Amino acid sequence: MAMQLDTYFGSFFLCIFCFSWFLSFPAEAAVRKYQFDIRVKNVSRLCHAKPIVTVNGRFPGPTVYAREGDRVLINVKNYAQYNISIHWHGLKQLRNGWADGPAYITQCPIMTGHSYTYDFNVTGQRGTLWWHAHILWLRATVYGAIVIVPKEGTMFPFPQPHGETKIILGEWWNSDVETLVNQANKLGLPPPTSDAHTINGKPGPLFPCSSKHTFSMEVEAGKTYLLRIINAALNDELFFSIAGHNMTVVEIDAVYTKPFTTRVILIAPGQTTNVLIKADQPPSRYFMAARPFMDAPIPVDNKTVTGILHYKGIPNTVVPSMPKLPAPNNTIVASNYNKRLKSLNTPQFPANVPLKVDRHLFYTVGLGQNQCPSCQNGTQLTASLNNITFVMPKVGLLQAHYFNIKGVFKTDFPDRPPVPFNYTGAPLTANLGTSLGTRLSKVAFNSTIELVLQDTNLLTVESHPFHLHGFNFFVVGSGVGNFDPSKDPAKFNLIDPPERNTVGVPTGGWTAIRFRADNPGVWFMHCHLELHTMWGLKMAFVVEDGKSPEESIIPPPKDLPPC
C-alpha cells in the first residue's frame, strides 16, 4: 500500500490531492511498511549522464508517509557497489538508536547484497522531516521526504490548505561525486563545488539541457497551499523565494512556529520549513528560486535553481517572472529571518525549555591544517570541535557502548576548549594542527544541557549548521563575536525559542542551545556541511541509561548489520 501511495503522490497533481489523502488516512495507529532498494541508475542532468545511487530507481527517492503514533518498518536492500546506511533525519528514535542510521555511530553499514530493516515508532512528532544516506557523500543523490500527519482529530494550528507539495532543494555534480571527493582528499583540499542546485532533482530552465528538467507546481487562483521545503544540499545554506508571493512560515524541523509572513526564507542543510502560500496574484507563471547564502570568503555553487508556480489555465508559453533574492552575502536578511523564528508555545504545543541547567558546555568550531606528506601542500585541511578532529571508528559506537566493547572510544571529550583565545578576532593562520581521537561526552540520563557553539577565525570564520541526532533542542540565544558568559545569558529567550534539530552557528558568532538528555544511547552531533563532517567536525554524546528498563536502550535487532 505504502509504495502505491507514494507513486500516486509523486504525480504532478500532488499539491491538489495530498490534503484529501490526509483527511482519509486511517485513524488507528498502524504499521507502515516500505521497501527501499538501493540501486545504481543512469541519470542525465545539464547535458551530462552518469550513474548515481538511488532508492527504487528514483531521484529524489520515495516519500515516507506516516501518522503520529505509527510504527514504520523500512527494509533497505543494498544492490549498489557502496556500503550504505540511511538516517531518518529529525526522528527522535526514543531508546532506539539502532534505527538512527549514521554509519559507524549507531550501526555498521549495510554491505552490498545485504539488507536491514529500520524499525521505529513515530512518537510525539508531526510535520516534515527527511531521510538521507549517512555514509560517504552518498546523500548527494540518496534522499527523500518524511511526511508525518497529526493524530486523527488533530488539525493544523493554522488555516487548512487546499493542497500541499514538497520542495526538496539539492545539489548536482556533473562528475561522479565519490571520485571527486577521493581525489580532493589525496590532495588535502576541498572537492569542487556542485554544478547546479536542484528542486526535486531538477535544476530548472536557467541551466543547459534543463527545460525538461524543471519542477512545476499548478495552483488555482484564490487557494492556499502548504509547501514542505527541505534543504538536502550537501554544503550550502539557501535563500528561497517565489516571485510576487508572500510565504507564511508555520513550521520548522517538524515543530510548529508562531506564523509570520516573509518574502524569503533561509534554510540550512538538514533543515525543513513549512510555509503557506496563497495564489493571490494575477494568474500567470512565477519562478520559485533558490541560491546560496555565504557571508564568508568561501567558494560556493552560486548559481540559481528555479521551479515554476503555474496558475491553472495559463499557457506554458508565458515567461515566468523572477523573484528578487537577497545578495549571497546579505547577513542582515539572514539574521533578521532567524530572529523571527519562535515556537508556538500553546497549551497544546508547549515549549518545554529547560530553565535549570545541570551542565554547561562550550564548544569551539574551527578549521585547521594537519601534516600530510603525500598531499599537495604537505598539509591537509581539517576541522574540529574544541580542537579535536573526530576519528571514525571501525565498530559502531552504539554497539561498543551497549556491549561494553573496550578500546573503541573514550568518554573524555572536554566540556570547553583546552586553550581559550580570541575566537573571532584576526584570522589565525599559525598553529593550526588539531588533535585526533574518537572522544565522546558522557551525559547523565535526564540531565539538562546548555551547549554554546562558538565559531572561530581559524583560517576563516564561516557559518556552520549543526545537527544533533536523537533530540530536538531549543535555540535560546545567538550573537556575533565571542560569547560573553557574564552578559549574553541575560538576553536568552526562555519563553518561546525556536525548537529544532539543526541550527546554524552564524559566521564569526555563536549559538546557544538547551535540551534535556532523556533519550539513552549514543547520539551523533555534527556540522551538516558534508565537507566539514568529512574533515572531522563531529562528535557524539553517550547518554546513560536511566534507573528503569523504560529509561534504557532497547536491545539491538537480530538483523543489525555486522561490522
Side-chain angles (χ1 to χ4, degrees):
M1 169 190 173
M3 296 311 301
Q4 292 173 338
L5 271 174
D6 194 62
T7 301
Y8 174 70
F9 289 124
S11 72
F12 177 81
F13 295 103
L14 168 64
C15 60
I16 306 299
F17 294 125
C18 196
F19 188 58
S20 63
W21 165 83
F22 160 72
L23 293 175
S24 62
F25 207 87
E28 73 283 356
V31 177
R32 310 287 167 199
K33 295 184 178 180
Y34 289 83
Q35 179 64 39
F36 275 23
D37 290 335
I38 309 298
R39 296 185 184 275
V40 172
K41 179 183 179 181
N42 280 324
V43 171
S44 177
R45 296 287 187 274
L46 276 63
C47 319
H48 289 76
K50 68 171 184 176
I52 65 169
V53 182
T54 68
V55 173
N56 300 345
R58 298 171 59 179
F59 168 61
T63 300
V64 173
Y65 292 97
R67 186 181 286 281
E68 181 185 349
D70 283 351
R71 180 184 177 190
V72 180
L73 287 90
I74 304 174
N75 180 257
V76 177
K77 178 76 183 221
N78 187 9
Y79 296 95
Q81 72 269 37
Y82 302 102
N83 291 343
I84 193 76
S85 72
I86 305 288
H87 171 51
W88 317 96
H89 185 113
L91 278 162
K92 294 179 184 177
Q93 307 289 8
L94 298 175
R95 303 168 48 220
N96 184 26
W98 314 110
D100 191 40
Y104 300 106
I105 306 298
T106 58
Q107 68 169 93
C108 286
I110 306 163
M111 293 181 285
T112 304
H114 292 72
S115 64
Y116 175 49
T117 298
Y118 291 92
D119 182 350
F120 54 85
N121 295 314
V122 181
T123 305
Q125 293 182 273
R126 82 293 304 163
T128 304
L129 296 171
W130 66 299
W131 57 264
H132 59 83
H134 213 301
I135 185 170
L136 306 172
W137 283 43
L138 294 183
R139 74 177 177 93
T141 57
V142 180
Y143 60 81
I146 301 173
V147 173
I148 307 168
V149 295
K151 289 181 177 178
E152 184 71 16
T154 304
M155 303 301 283
F156 295 134
F158 47 80
Q160 306 306 301
H162 169 73
E164 61 173 63
T165 194
K166 301 176 295 291
I167 305 290
I168 309 180
L169 307 171
E171 289 183 85
W172 172 266
W173 280 261
N174 288 331
S175 301
D176 178 74
V177 178
E178 295 304 323
T179 300
L180 293 174
V181 170
N182 290 336
Q183 291 170 344
N185 282 337
K186 288 177 182 175
L187 296 172
L189 299 172
T193 59
S194 55
D195 294 292
H197 291 98
T198 57
I199 295 177
N200 295 343
K202 300 173 180 179
L206 303 187
F207 289 90
C209 305
S210 297
S211 58
K212 64 179 179 179
H213 296 305
T214 300
F215 171 73
S216 182
M217 172 185 173
E218 186 178 82
V219 298
E220 292 186 44
K223 294 186 174 176
T224 299
Y225 298 83
L226 179 69
L227 302 188
R228 300 179 181 269
I229 306 170
I230 298 165
N231 187 350
L234 275 76
N235 293 307
D236 292 334
E237 291 187 75
L238 296 166
F239 287 124
F240 175 85
S241 187
I242 303 173
H245 292 73
N246 287 323
M247 296 177 284
T248 302
V249 177
V250 294
E251 177 194 304
I252 53 172
D253 291 5
V255 180
Y256 297 132
T257 62
K258 286 184 170 67
F260 66 92
T261 299
T262 180
R263 282 282 184 171
V264 63
I265 70 165
L266 176 66
I267 184 165
Q271 293 181 337
T272 67
T273 303
N274 282 9
V275 302
L276 294 174
I277 61 159
K278 188 171 184 181
D280 57 2
Q281 295 303 299
S284 186
R285 300 171 82 226
Y286 298 86
F287 273 131
M288 56 181 75
R291 77 175 175 203
F293 162 62
M294 174 52 73
D295 58 351
I298 304 291
V300 294
D301 170 10
N302 208 22
K303 297 177 283 295
T304 301
V305 57
T306 53
I308 297 173
L309 188 76
H310 186 133
Y311 279 70
K312 189 174 182 179
I314 299 300
N316 289 340
T317 52
V318 174
V319 177
S321 53
M322 180 66 83
K324 293 180 180 177
L325 285 165
N329 63 350
N330 195 324
T331 306
I332 294 174
V333 170
S335 176
N336 288 343
Y337 174 81
N338 284 327
K339 287 176 183 175
R340 299 180 73 186
L341 296 170
K342 290 181 168 56
S343 288
L344 197 56
N345 195 17
T346 62
Q348 188 176 9
F349 304 106
N352 296 314
V353 188
L355 301 180
K356 172 181 165 290
V357 175
D358 296 320
R359 191 159 157 202
H360 292 266
L361 306 177
F362 183 82
Y363 291 177
T364 54
V365 183
L367 302 178
Q369 286 180 326
N370 286 333
Q371 296 302 310
C372 175
S374 64
C375 293
Q376 181 171 287
N377 301 318
T379 60
Q380 62 182 355
L381 289 167
T382 188
S384 66
L385 285 165
N386 281 352
N387 205 47
I388 298 166
T389 295
F390 190 86
V391 176
M392 294 295 281
K394 300 288 193 293
V395 176
L397 295 177
L398 182 58
Q399 288 94 314
H401 169 60
Y402 186 84
F403 294 110
N404 198 25
I405 302 171
K406 303 298 184 184
V408 177
F409 64 86
K410 295 180 179 179
T411 54
D412 62 348
F413 191 92
D415 287 3
R416 48 197 53 81
V419 180
F421 60 97
N422 182 3
Y423 307 114
T424 56
L428 299 171
T429 56
N431 302 318
L432 295 174
T434 65
S435 64
L436 309 179
T438 310
R439 302 168 65 181
L440 280 59
S441 179
K442 185 177 280 190
V443 176
F445 177 79
N446 212 36
S447 60
T448 53
I449 307 296
E450 179 180 290
L451 168 60
V452 176
L453 291 161
Q454 172 72 61
D455 187 33
T456 63
N457 205 355
L458 293 162
L459 287 178
T460 180
V461 289
E462 185 177 354
S463 176
H464 300 272
F466 269 86
H467 173 47
L468 176 61
H469 291 228
F471 299 91
N472 281 355
F473 49 75
F474 292 95
V475 186
V476 296
S478 186
V480 176
N482 296 339
F483 175 73
D484 186 337
S486 63
K487 295 180 180 179
D488 287 326
K491 307 171 196 169
F492 283 178
N493 176 6
L494 302 178
I495 306 298
D496 58 357
E499 180 183 347
R500 40 191 348 160
N501 62 59
T502 306
V503 67
V505 178
T507 299
W510 57 270
T511 291
I513 66 172
R514 288 186 182 184
F515 65 97
R516 181 176 294 278
D518 55 2
N519 192 8
V522 176
W523 302 107
F524 208 21
M525 188 183 77
H526 60 96
C527 180
H528 222 274
L529 304 180
E530 200 62 40
L531 180 63
H532 292 171
T533 299
M534 177 180 74
W535 284 348
L537 195 49
K538 49 196 173 186
M539 58 83 66
F541 292 102
V542 180
V543 179
E544 297 177 295
D545 284 346
K547 295 178 180 178
S548 70
E550 292 75 28
E551 296 174 340
S552 302
I553 302 168
I554 65 173
K558 290 185 173 61
D559 65 338
L560 188 71
C563 293

